Amino acid sequence: MIFLTALPLFWIMISASRGGHWGAWMPSSISAFEGTCVSIPCRFDFPDELRPAVVHGVWYFNSPYPKNYPPVVFKSRTQVVHESFQGRSRLLGALGLRNCTLLLSNLSPELGGKYYFRGDLGGYNQYTFSEHSVLDIINTPNIMVPPEVVAGTEVEVSCMVPDNCPEMHPELSWLGHEGLGEPAVLGRLREDEGTWVQVSLLHFVPTREANGYRLGCQASFPNTTLQFEGYASLDVKYPPVIVEMNSSVEAIEGSHVSLLCGADSNPPPLLTWMRDGTVLREAVTESLSLELDEVTPAEDGVYACLAENAYGQDNRTVGLSVMYAPWKPTVNGTVVAVEGETVSILCSTQSNPDPILTIFKEKQILATVIYESELQLELPAVMPEDDGEYWCVAENQYGQRATAFNLSVEFAPVILLESHCAAARDAVQCLCVVKANPEPSVAFELPSRNVTVNETEREFVYSERSGLLLTSILTLRGQAQAPPRVICSSHNLYGTKSLELPFQGAHRLMWAKVGPVGAVVAFAILIAIVCYITQTRRKKNVTDSPSFPAGDDPPVLFSSDFRISGVPEKYESERRLGSERRLLGLRGEPPELDLSYSHSDLGKRPTKDSYTLTEELAEYAEIRVK
């Protein structure tokens, strides 16, 4: 397009060549606003040799052939026209100068169509030209927007209206352009085919917010009420921006989770849900959700939403935290140690949130941490008392799990103080209680008889283990005297320990010697002595001649002086032995080792002289009874 000012309308369109053939020129199309006018520029030619005296012409509407009786728009010979064009058509050009320009006024929609010109030189020299012009009656300005408007890039939008009416010219103004820029009116422009337009330009840099903006242009004609408006919506292209996204999500294990991602872009973006580089779901849409059914701790992590189109991309992430109860704790560390060594035990688990970890033994808390996944238990120098079962417990608000583990402390044998020998019925039992790990061997030594009995000889020794305690019982059967010395010896790979067992309940041994018959004799002797003392006191009172010096108190014997000491200790010993058996879980009587005197030992028994006092007291008691 070339900017022109006031120039003759027709003569600048094409050079006036004098050709030697029939021909015509006019714009193939032309437009005008309803209610205004339009000038259709036209030029024709004919052979030079014809040299007519008068040149006439006819304009037809929608058909070039007279035989079809098309409506006559203008006829120079008779001025007879179709009723639709009465008072509306007029010839502006001079036919003699081969100018056939036509002016149509007071345009209405029914006048839109094809217009043909026929040259009439008289006689048979008439010719209807095939060239024609199409008239378009419009009501709106033409707003021209570039095919691609990108946010951030300057664009030019133009408003164009036809200006082909010599009697009235339009004025242009923009509607709704506030914030976009100031318009620039270029003025009147000539088109390639000789028609004219009014143009106004608007330059601005669009933003994403301008997408869909409705921009208008108004054409008005001064001194008339004619106004025409046209609108165009801006299709602004811009890269995606994620505008909707979950914040951090917390979900309980096994629940349903929905992650939503929404983006604003033009054209619509390709939305993609990803985790650790793996595509989980994608679609070309403005909003995309990711559905997770029955979430597990394995789905805990960071999820990314990527939005992209031809103009750019955007991405955001969201963290999914799956809340769950602690897993069963695992224990890694030393579980077998030698006394005195340092033991380190690590208890670990996994949960969300982090748990409270506790290590305890026999309901006593040894170590604990809060909101940690690991707990270290340090025992700088283990002792036998540290041996046993431990528990590591992990708990949070969603549950509790525990793991048991055993710490085995190995140490040399220790013979406990409750080890002893005691009389039981007609035998003596020796109890040896040993604490050791690993399990020790136990042997009983009788140095005076050069005899050693170990626990493998089960007919003589009964052993029972409970935890770290090994209890062995040796029974000396038929023992009528004080038992020989008994030494308990215990051994394992960490050492050997020996202890001479003390004898408890010596009076019980005396009862074993006396026996039932001896008890009856002792009771008779006691009665005789009491009777003898009573008679002596009576004689003293009768004769008043005391057998004892005056002032001396007579000897008095009480029954308590002949009380067999050790009887209470016997029952106490039996009670303790029974308790120990119940504690150790012993059942029945332990086997007994018969160490009673043989025939070869008869010479070692007490002589008759040993019993002289007893016999005399018995005879005295018999006389007094008679």
Side-chain angles (χ1 to χ4, degrees):
M1 291 186 289
I2 303 173
F3 177 75
L4 298 175
T5 57
L7 292 176
L9 174 64
F10 180 72
W11 298 109
I12 65 171
M13 294 188 295
I14 203 165
S15 300
S17 62
R18 299 291 181 175
H21 61 276
W22 292 96
W25 178 92
M26 64 187 67
S28 59
S29 64
I30 192 169
S31 60
F33 283 106
E34 181 181 1
T36 65
C37 68
V38 62
S39 174
I40 303 175
C42 175
R43 184 183 180 281
F44 68 99
D45 201 1
F46 52 86
D48 293 337
E49 64 270 18
L50 295 181
R51 296 178 183 180
V54 179
V55 178
H56 291 280
V58 180
W59 281 94
Y60 291 115
F61 180 66
N62 280 339
S63 177
Y65 305 108
K67 63 181 180 179
N68 294 334
Y69 301 103
V72 175
V73 177
F74 174 81
K75 189 173 184 179
S76 62
R77 284 184 180 272
T78 63
Q79 302 296 319
V80 176
V81 298
H82 188 272
E83 60 182 356
S84 299
F85 295 96
Q86 289 181 359
R88 292 183 173 183
S89 60
R90 178 163 61 99
L91 192 66
L92 293 181
L95 294 178
L97 298 176
R98 305 182 186 187
N99 186 342
C100 53
T101 301
L102 176 68
L103 177 67
L104 297 176
S105 303
N106 194 19
L107 297 175
S108 58
E110 66 271 13
L111 299 185
K114 299 176 181 179
Y115 288 82
Y116 296 88
F117 179 71
R118 178 180 175 85
D120 182 5
L121 303 182
Y124 292 101
N125 297 322
Q126 298 182 17
Y127 188 85
T128 301
F129 300 97
S130 60
E131 293 83 358
H132 63 276
S133 183
V134 178
L135 175 61
D136 184 23
I137 309 300
I138 64 174
N139 291 305
T140 59
N142 182 25
I143 299 178
M144 298 182 64
V145 180
E148 184 176 79
V149 179
V150 180
T153 303
E154 185 180 45
V155 297
E156 177 186 276
V157 178
S158 63
C159 177
M160 302 179 65
V161 295
D163 189 9
N164 296 308
C165 179
E167 299 174 354
M168 49 198 317
H169 299 283
E171 293 182 354
L172 299 180
S173 60
W174 288 94
L175 304 175
H177 69 285
E178 295 81 5
L180 297 180
E182 292 299 324
V185 178
L186 293 182
R188 198 162 180 255
L189 297 178
R190 180 178 181 271
E191 298 180 295
D192 293 338
E193 292 186 333
T195 58
W196 296 84
V197 293
Q198 282 278 2
V199 179
S200 179
L201 302 179
L202 184 64
H203 292 266
F204 61 95
V205 177
T207 63
R208 63 191 312 115
E209 291 77 18
N211 183 46
Y213 194 87
R214 197 162 179 259
L215 187 63
C217 178
Q218 184 184 77
S220 60
F221 293 86
N223 302 319
T224 69
T225 59
L226 298 176
Q227 285 186 346
F228 303 94
E229 295 179 354
Y231 293 89
S233 294
L234 297 180
D235 184 19
V236 181
K237 309 296 184 182
Y238 53 91
V241 174
I242 295 178
V243 295
E244 184 178 13
M245 189 79 168
N246 299 81
S247 56
S248 297
V249 177
E250 289 187 357
I252 300 175
E253 181 180 11
S255 63
H256 175 83
V257 173
S258 178
L259 302 179
L260 182 63
C261 178
D264 174 36
S265 71
N266 187 25
L270 172 65
L271 290 180
T272 305
W273 275 107
M274 304 177 66
R275 179 170 182 250
D276 298 332
T278 302
V279 175
L280 304 177
R281 189 185 180 193
E282 64 179 2
V284 177
T285 180
E286 294 181 350
S287 181
L288 183 66
S289 64
L290 179 64
E291 306 295 332
L292 301 176
D293 294 324
E294 298 182 355
V295 292
T296 65
E299 294 173 293
D300 187 288
V302 177
Y303 291 76
C305 177
L306 175 66
E308 57 184 337
N309 64 11
Y311 301 95
Q313 66 177 21
D314 189 19
N315 67 83
R316 285 178 61 184
T317 60
V318 58
L320 172 61
S321 181
V322 180
M323 318 301 286
Y324 58 97
W327 291 359
K328 186 176 180 63
T330 58
V331 178
N332 299 320
T334 304
V335 293
V336 177
V338 180
E339 182 180 11
E341 289 184 344
T342 298
V343 173
S344 178
I345 297 174
L346 177 66
C347 175
S348 61
T349 186
Q350 182 175 327
S351 70
N352 192 13
D354 286 331
I356 299 175
L357 275 173
T358 305
I359 295 179
F360 66 89
K361 178 188 179 190
E362 297 175 353
K363 299 183 179 181
Q364 179 182 358
I365 295 177
L366 303 179
T368 186
V369 291
I370 299 176
Y371 306 137
E372 296 287 343
S373 59
E374 292 184 351
L375 174 59
Q376 188 93 13
L377 175 62
E378 294 284 348
L379 300 175
V382 293
M383 300 181 295
E385 291 75 11
D386 296 321
D387 189 286
E389 184 181 58
Y390 292 73
W391 285 88
C392 178
V393 179
E395 60 180 330
N396 63 14
Q397 60 264 45
Y398 299 103
Q400 180 189 82
R401 296 295 297 273
T403 296
F405 61 94
N406 289 305
L407 172 61
S408 179
V409 180
E410 297 186 343
F411 55 94
V414 176
I415 300 178
L416 304 186
L417 295 178
E418 59 257 34
S419 302
H420 65 279
C421 291
R425 299 179 185 173
D426 59 344
V428 173
Q429 291 182 330
C430 293
L431 177 71
C432 185
V433 182
V434 181
K435 186 176 183 180
N437 189 22
E439 182 176 354
S441 61
V442 176
F444 292 93
E445 300 178 20
L446 285 73
S448 62
R449 289 174 172 74
N450 197 25
V451 174
T452 300
V453 182
N454 58 44
E455 57 186 342
T456 60
E457 303 177 58
R458 298 190 179 277
E459 59 179 310
F460 307 119
V461 178
Y462 184 88
S463 296
E464 181 76 15
R465 183 174 177 86
S466 176
L468 300 178
L469 294 180
L470 176 65
T471 302
S472 294
I473 299 178
L474 171 68
T475 301
L476 305 178
R477 187 160 44 88
Q479 184 68 39
Q481 302 184 36
R485 292 171 54 220
V486 178
I487 298 175
C488 176
S489 178
S490 179
H491 171 78
N492 67 7
L493 60 90
Y494 296 105
T496 301
K497 185 71 173 179
S498 298
L499 176 67
E500 182 174 347
L501 303 180
F503 183 78
Q504 297 179 357
H507 298 298
R508 293 178 59 190
L509 182 60
M510 184 185 75
W511 275 110
K513 293 179 180 179
V514 173
V517 176
V520 173
V521 173
F523 184 71
I525 293 172
L526 177 61
I527 294 175
I529 292 174
V530 173
C531 293
Y532 174 77
I533 294 173
T534 303
Q535 291 296 330
T536 302
R537 287 182 177 178
R538 288 177 179 175
K539 289 180 180 181
K540 178 183 176 182
N541 294 332
V542 173
T543 59
D544 292 324
S545 56
S547 301
F548 300 98
D552 291 341
D553 294 327
V556 179
L557 296 179
F558 300 96
S559 60
S560 61
D561 295 330
F562 288 89
R563 183 178 300 161
I564 304 299
S565 63
V567 173
E569 287 81 354
K570 171 184 177 182
Y571 292 106
E572 177 64 18
S573 176
E574 291 179 351
R575 185 188 64 80
R576 290 186 59 191
L577 181 58
S579 299
E580 290 165 355
R581 288 180 176 174
R582 286 191 300 273
L583 176 64
L584 299 176
L586 300 179
R587 297 181 179 177
E589 296 295 332
E592 300 173 346
L593 178 61
D594 189 356
L595 296 179
S596 60
Y597 292 101
S598 62
H599 291 289
S600 59
D601 296 323
L602 291 175
K604 300 178 183 179
R605 293 187 176 184
T607 62
K608 185 177 182 295
D609 296 337
S610 313
Y611 300 92
T612 302
L613 177 59
T614 304
E615 292 175 353
E616 290 177 353
L617 289 174
E619 291 175 358
Y620 178 77
E622 183 179 0
I623 293 172
R624 295 302 298 174
V625 169
K626 291 180 179 179

